Amino acid sequence: MTDADTTTTTADWQAWQRSWDRQQEWYLPDREERFRIMLDMVEALVGTAPRVLDLACGTGSITARLLARFPEATSTGVDLDPALLTIAEGTFAGDERVSLVTADLKDPEWPAKLPYDSYDAVLTATALHWLHRDPLADLYGQVAGVVRDGGVFMNADHMIDETTPRINAAERAQRHARMEQAERDGVLDWSQWWQLAAKDPVLAEPTARRYEIYGEHADGDMPSAAWHARVLREKGFAEARPVWCSPSDTLLLALK
């Protein structure tokens, strides 16, 4: 491979990362603010050189922002999606701070695949709503087992408070109206992004495998932040509460 080929390959992975970011921001306009607060809390509680587990890492969005802010950090990304892991592998190729693990988080043995027994921080975003409540509660118990004493777990996701149905309906209507306008302006949605991936020479095969695993989209749960905090305390965390929220999204932090 020539230097020019290497440059092109690197640029391609960065282009896929930017494309993924744009698609996610269509759903989550406050996504970068949420990441910033997540990393603020990492710094506040475990410092600037943490060992991090990027749970359900996807393309490595959290890892990329972690290493840009904290160059002395290390990250283990774990996911099952072959296509998103392919992008992550291309993005972080040659970076000794990053290791990537293929594992199914519904498999209770997934922690055995990790390169370390414990982590300062376990971080995840826009991923665990793929799980129903019972397997999610089981996962929280497993996460508690890999977070060191004094370490943190943070989950940023859509958490629905069922006690406020009219507020929920109004927020959802406004958010979807804005999303529809953005789509008319040319922003790709979830299914359109995956259609592009399926046509890419490098991503076509892992994308096909991904659809064999997940189908179009998993049908999980979106319980309230109060449910998440309660279950995390039951599973071994000493403290748990939201540290940031938008009208549709919550960043919940649990301290071991």
Side-chain angles (χ1 to χ4, degrees):
M1 179 179 289
T2 67
D3 290 342
D5 291 333
T6 302
T7 301
T8 301
T9 302
T10 302
D12 286 345
W13 295 127
Q14 293 303 321
W16 277 111
Q17 289 285 4
R18 290 192 296 271
S19 176
W20 177 259
D21 284 344
R22 285 195 300 271
Q23 179 257 126
Q24 289 289 286
E25 287 163 0
W26 181 67
Y27 296 95
L28 299 161
D30 300 310
R31 185 169 178 255
E32 291 301 327
E33 172 71 5
R34 186 179 67 169
F35 283 142
R36 183 184 69 80
I37 298 299
M38 177 182 282
L39 296 181
D40 281 351
M41 293 297 97
V42 167
E43 182 174 4
L45 289 161
V46 296
T48 58
R51 177 190 294 168
V52 170
L53 177 60
D54 187 348
L55 194 70
C57 65
T59 67
S61 297
I62 290 174
T63 292
R65 288 156 179 80
L66 172 79
L67 297 180
R69 177 160 168 178
F70 306 127
E72 296 182 14
T74 58
S75 179
T76 301
V78 59
D79 208 301
L80 186 61
D81 190 311
L84 299 185
L85 279 173
T86 296
I87 296 173
E89 288 163 358
T91 300
F92 300 108
D95 192 331
E96 296 182 353
R97 298 171 297 176
V98 180
S99 56
L100 296 168
V101 175
T102 300
D104 185 349
L105 296 181
K106 290 186 285 188
D107 177 357
E109 301 302 317
W110 68 266
K113 295 186 175 183
L114 302 177
Y116 303 104
D117 292 332
S118 67
Y119 288 84
D120 301 309
V122 177
L123 310 177
T124 188
T126 325
L128 300 190
H129 63 267
W130 285 58
L131 298 175
H132 289 285
R133 295 182 191 216
D134 287 346
L136 180 55
D138 291 341
L139 177 65
Y140 279 170
Q142 292 152 2
V143 168
V146 299
V147 175
R148 68 163 173 85
D149 289 345
V152 297
F153 167 67
M154 279 183 268
N155 178 16
D157 213 337
H158 192 39
M159 301 179 187
I160 297 176
D161 187 338
E162 295 177 351
T163 68
T164 58
R166 290 187 297 163
I167 296 173
N168 299 349
E171 182 280 324
R172 186 179 187 278
Q174 183 185 57
R175 175 162 43 90
H176 279 256
R178 289 175 174 171
M179 290 167 66
E180 289 167 6
Q181 181 58 56
E183 193 169 19
R184 288 192 291 270
D185 292 340
V187 176
L188 297 179
D189 66 14
W190 173 266
S191 62
Q192 292 167 333
W193 190 91
W194 281 108
Q195 289 168 15
L196 278 184
K199 296 175 183 177
D200 183 81
V202 176
L203 292 177
E205 189 274 334
T207 296
R209 285 191 284 122
R210 178 227 182 256
Y211 274 98
E212 291 174 2
I213 296 170
Y214 295 111
E216 286 292 330
H217 199 286
D219 181 23
D221 288 337
M222 297 182 187
S224 68
W227 181 93
H228 287 271
R230 175 180 60 80
V231 172
L232 284 162
R233 287 192 293 266
E234 290 172 355
K235 294 298 183 178
F237 288 90
E239 302 176 16
R241 71 166 177 87
V243 291
W244 176 91
C245 68
S246 73
S248 64
D249 214 56
T250 296
L251 171 61
L252 193 135
L253 184 151
L255 180 66
K256 184 80 176 289

